[in-house]
Amino acid sequence: MGMTIKKPQDVAGSAAPAIMIGLFVAFGGVLYGYDTGTIGGILGMKYWKTLFSTGYVDPKTGEKDVSPGQKSTIVSILSAGTFFGALTAGPLGEFLGRRWGLIASTGVFTAGVILQTIATAIPMFTAGRFFAGFGVGLISALIPLYQSETSPKWIRGAIVGSYQLAITIGLLIAAIVNNSSKDREDTGSYRIPIAVQFAWAIILVAGMLYLPETPRYLIKNNQREKASRALSRLRRLDPGHPALVDELNEIEANYQYEMSLGKASYVDCFKGSIGKRLATGCGLQALQQLTGVNFIFYYGTSFFLKAGFTNGFTITMITSVVNTLSTFPGLYLVETWGRRKLLLFGAVGMSVCQMIVSVVGTAIPDLKGPPGQALVAFVCIYIFFFACSWGPVAWVVTGEIFPLKVRGKALSMTTATNWLLNFAIAYSTPYLVDDGPGNLNLGAKVFFIWGAFCIICAVFVYFMIYETKGLSLEEVDELYSKVRNAWQSKHFVPSRGPMEINELKLDDHTKNRTSVKVDVEGADSYI
């Protein structure tokens, strides 16, 4: 492929329908990003702080505000909702399907937005945050699942990575809307930014009503005819075209082979090769959060204001623009450099920037003038490294490493891990950085913590992340069955024609082994 992304000459049909569908489904990321970005600005709005205050007074400004404990609850409750939503996405995606699951998830999200919009006190606002989070959690697991199961293998990484691009666009729009309404002296200051989310929900549902179900889900449910029509629509080929028949046969044959080893429960997700992949996916999603990026987007406005900047909202807009623009090179590099190299590049770059920010912020408490400008500059460079690597690639890898029979369950658990760490960071951050009794008052020193985790990220990638660039989802299964160590995966060459898989573990307890031959072309399996 070299350094360009283009359709291989031996691939029949058109990739345009699958690409357009994958990019549209990524729009669900706008819900995630916008909701994440909105709360940071709302917490800094003077009218909102006065209206929702229960009597707490900020010792620095002398003005009414919500307490650090209330602030951490309001921010983190969304992450708690998303955690449970992501776990629920597995059974929901299996019961309703990927397509109808996304539609139902958007309905839950909308209910949460309604509660937040009409709220004038913390309890109802918090309840709305939870239900909106539950919907976002469902959506965040189902979108990469849908994209992975519909995308051509040669551009799957860029399509799934576009989900992260949509998240950054949502963050950027939130910063713009917050900035335009922050000075209003009425409930419109916070209700306008929240109510805008109705538009995102309507767009996503309207589009999903016309999109096809994924062929792999239909094969899993013994609906080959429907799967053939769905794949025909995605590849723009006649259902009887040899290339389409071959692809459908490979999907079916691989699924038959998986099922020949037994049905997959949640317990089975923790065993053998699948367990290794689950540990990889959960570790990757946890470390994505531990890079500290959401500290910037949850508490960036408040942090910059407390650090002495008078234009905290403007700085948040700048970081959001950098986040969005920096995601574009990531969508290109994920298919040219590959997953491993890009993740390593991002981890090293982030760790360097985090350490510089922490040193500058610690050594020079007064951040006015050049020191403050330097701090903001390195925060932006850090965001560049995250947005072009760990932002999109974490979703790409977790969406493609699991076999079909457990993909929904496993992906829901990896996504839930992301939200669990998101919750922990959102809840603990006010206590880490704010001053006052019971708080650590770390300020910029908190970046030492994020920088240390970025170093761990690099080590994790080297030992755990397999290179899956250019492989079909079925070939990824073969990769894990034949290659023991992640750092050797770049040399893997998938089988051509009938796929030979020997000496696979059938039972981790008994160590029984078998040889399996799966005829990809004829969809016949022999054991």
Side-chain angles (χ1 to χ4, degrees), residues 32-33 35-37 39-40 43 75 78-79 82 164 167-168 171 285-301 303 316 323 350 354 382-383 386 391 395 418-427 429-430 447 450:
Y32 170 3
D35 199 68
T36 299
I39 192 60
L43 291 175
V75 174
L78 179 128
S79 300
T82 53
Q164 177 66 22
I167 293 173
T168 67
L171 287 165
Q285 291 284 17
L287 287 170
Q288 188 206 49
Q289 288 298 312
L290 291 170
T291 61
V293 67
N294 277 327
F295 167 77
I296 302 296
F297 296 112
Y298 279 147
Y299 296 106
T301 301
F303 174 77
T316 300
N323 191 30
M350 286 190 296
Q354 298 273 30
Y382 153 73
I383 291 174
F386 174 86
W395 299 107
N418 181 294
W419 287 114
L420 179 63
L421 269 295
N422 189 303
F423 168 79
I425 292 169
Y427 188 82
T429 293
F447 286 91
W450 311 139

Side-chain angles (χ1 to χ4, degrees), residues 64-232:
K64 286 186 175 182
D65 200 350
V66 294
S67 68
Q70 292 170 328
K71 186 187 298 183
S72 65
T73 300
I74 290 169
V75 174
S76 62
I77 196 67
L78 179 128
S79 300
T82 53
F83 171 75
F84 292 107
L87 286 179
T88 308
L92 182 69
E94 298 297 333
F95 180 71
L96 293 180
R98 290 32 167 162
R99 172 171 165 262
W100 281 105
L102 278 169
I103 293 172
S105 303
T106 308
V108 176
F109 171 80
T110 303
V113 173
I114 292 172
L115 291 176
Q116 290 179 80
T117 303
I118 65 176
T120 55
I122 289 177
M124 183 176 289
F125 192 83
T126 303
R129 293 274 297 166
F130 177 82
F131 285 107
F134 195 92
V136 169
L138 289 166
I139 291 168
S140 65
L142 290 172
I143 285 177
L145 179 61
Y146 186 97
Q147 291 175 312
S148 295
E149 292 189 347
T150 56
S151 303
K153 64 182 181 181
W154 58 273
I155 199 172
R156 184 179 61 245
I159 292 176
V160 179
S162 66
Y163 174 55
Q164 177 66 22
L165 175 62
I167 293 173
T168 67
I169 292 173
L171 287 165
L172 175 59
I173 296 174
I176 295 172
V177 175
N178 279 339
N179 199 50
S180 65
S181 69
K182 71 180 189 298
D183 295 324
R184 291 177 64 104
E185 293 297 328
D186 56 26
T187 57
S189 59
Y190 69 92
R191 282 177 169 166
I192 291 173
I194 293 172
V196 167
Q197 297 175 100
F198 289 119
W200 315 144
I202 292 170
I203 292 171
L204 183 60
V205 170
M208 291 305 301
L209 290 173
Y210 291 96
L211 298 188
E213 183 56 84
T214 74
R216 288 175 171 86
Y217 172 79
L218 294 169
I219 285 291
K220 185 176 181 180
N221 285 270
N222 299 315
Q223 301 180 56
R224 183 183 171 93
E225 189 63 31
K226 289 184 178 180
S228 178
R229 291 198 298 269
L231 192 59
S232 172

